[in-house]
Amino acid sequence: MNKIIFGIQSVVQRFGRSVFSFFAGGSECIVCGNDSGLLPVCADCRNKFFAVKPVGVGVCKFCGKELISENDVCMECRKNVLMKHLDGAFPLFSYRLWNTSLLCRWKLEDERIFSDFLAELVNERLSQIWKKLGEFVVVPVPPRPGKIKSKGWDQVDEISQILEFRYNWNVRRILCRHTNVEQKTLERSQRMEMIGKAYSLNADVKIVPEVVCLVDDVLTTGSTIESCAEKLKEAGCKKVFAVALFSVDR
């Protein structure tokens, strides 16, 4: 897909959503329940609950999850640091309250109207990391084999397209996934066993970027991004960071 085709598709999709929203009487905010226009998040709740915090504030320096103490390392990472190849994880929000509804409607009920909104938030986080840590290449975590063909789209891939064509990020799809098993169906120990096995570099990749920022939708145990980071480091990548929309509390 090139930038022109993406632009045309975006205009058509936005027009269709606007028409539907008009005849449906608008949307209801997923947070407060008030009318919210086209996007199911009103302006007040967006500014109050979806403001992107500064990088690294109040989160574990290893896994990026919110801290319950003043220590800069969470209890789980104090016991066992999982992120041995990842140089930093920067999720935007905790996966609780209305965020669970948002993710379900976007990911499971295919309400793609959320994609533009979420991509804008990811773009803001990437810009923060760029200013703090320097330049990097964006690498999306790849979907299960055949997912896009069977379902018609993948959430992370769609956000990556928006990041590439609307916000002009250098996006490289250099990873592939080998298993069809959904991570959410696995226990923590099973996810740990998958590290280093589920992902690899695409066969046509000759040179990897020196610095990469992975993009994913949800950070649960961190096994997915750690597995991707391991493969990138083995291929010669010097630094690997990660951005996720939501992190699941342990």
Side-chain angles (χ1 to χ4, degrees), residues 147-179:
K147 178 182 178 182
I148 295 178
K149 183 176 181 180
S150 62
K151 192 173 181 179
W153 73 303
D154 172 69
Q155 296 73 34
V156 176
D157 180 72
E158 181 150 294
I159 280 185
S160 298
Q161 290 182 31
I162 298 172
L163 292 173
E164 181 177 9
F165 297 119
R166 184 172 303 157
Y167 296 107
N168 298 314
W169 287 99
N170 181 7
V171 177
R172 291 188 60 188
R173 295 165 180 81
I174 59 177
L175 292 170
C176 62
R177 181 172 171 176
H178 303 296
T179 174

Side-chain angles (χ1 to χ4, degrees), residues 9 110 136 189 213 224 241:
Q9 289 183 344
D110 296 332
F136 53 79
S189 60
C213 187
T224 292
F241 305 103

Side-chain angles (χ1 to χ4, degrees), residues 87-101:
D87 295 288
F90 307 104
L92 279 82
F93 310 106
S94 291
Y95 184 61
R96 62 169 80 105
L97 302 175
W98 46 80
N99 289 337
T100 61
S101 175

